[in-house]
Amino acid sequence: MRTAWRVARVFGIDIRVDSSWIVIFILFTWVLAGSYFPGGHPDWPVTLYWALGLLTSLLVFVSVLVHELAHSLVAKRQGEEVHSITLFILGGVAQISQEPEEPLKEFSMAVVGPLASFVLAGVFFLLSLLLYPASEPLSASAGYLAIINVALGIFNLLPGFPMDGGRVLRSIIWKLTGDLKKATRIASLTGQGFAFLLIFFGVLRILRGDFGGLWLLLIGWFLHNAASRGYQQVVIQSALEGLKARDLMNRDFETVPAGLPVQNLVDDYILKRKERVFLVTEGDGLEGIVCLEDVKRMPREKWAGAAVADIMTPKADLRSVGPEADGKDILASLTATDVHQVPVMEGGRVAGIICRSDVLKVLQLRSELGM
Ligand SMILES: [Zn+2]
């Protein structure tokens, strides 16, 4: 898992900054203070370049945040749950728990982000005009932010899923054909097409000795991954249609006591019974769930000295579901959180466990059988 720090909470949404954003922040400040501002205004003091570089980078961060907040607020108004917004190396990602159910909802949710960027660009442009007589440095900073926001808006409008423009395209095809899967396939193919174009031009520029091409390469690669992943997600969701928790859960699970040393869990349970997941109990009560991944996270030499209770996912962090819960919702919540398993409760007792790998196994079986 990557590290992300929570820096604020706005409208009930956690704002988080991924560690990769620090790299971008330093890079922006460095380029602004080291070449952009000195290039246009060679007579300013060095400290001013750096102060202005820092301020402008911070406002780039705010601009990306405003773009993502626009998406999130519209999503919230449509009744979606928005958990958090994470800013990372190439922009922001709003974690919205569900895919929208209607083309129109998706359209408005997608289009509002670039719209917010264009509005911000207009505001910064006006500011740069108004500030010019009072403070030339601040005016230069606002001018730069106007350009960045226009670029942000245009880049996000590229019609490839899962970019905003791709979502707009998908919602239009969806509206016209009534087929979400088909619409997603077309939009993500366009996304991959754009990705290859970006990669192509990136390589071309690098071959000509212009290392700005690295950026295109990086963005193209990112877009390509996102486009194919977005499509897979929709395919998986439509394959899960109609499946309930009771169809996905594993009933043959064993229980282990919370005080069991991790070494014994490995020797006597995981290796002997060839199971990956165990229910952790204390007396009659459920304490949590422990799985192979939890064990792997702990260095081997500590296995003898630690108990299952130290590495398990405790009951409080588990989100249990009933046997009739919808398979799509379960996969969505498994994807949205770091917890990899869900206990299925029936009449106050654990009837089964669903792991992410179980869901994928069921999907694979169904696809092999042509279902
Ligand atoms: Zn966006």
Side-chain angles (χ1 to χ4, degrees), residues 5-9 14-17 61 87:
W5 299 282
R6 211 185 87 166
V7 291
R9 200 172 158 82
D14 280 340
I15 311 297
R16 309 199 301 173
V17 175
F61 166 96
L87 299 173

Side-chain angles (χ1 to χ4, degrees), residues 159-161 166 169 173 183-195 223 227:
F161 187 80
L169 178 69
I173 303 174
T184 310
R185 194 174 63 229
I186 296 172
S188 72
L189 279 177
T190 348
Q192 292 186 28
F194 266 106
L223 186 59

Side-chain angles (χ1 to χ4, degrees), residues 40 79 112 163 256 340 360:
V112 74
M163 310 287 291
V256 295
H340 289 227
L360 299 178

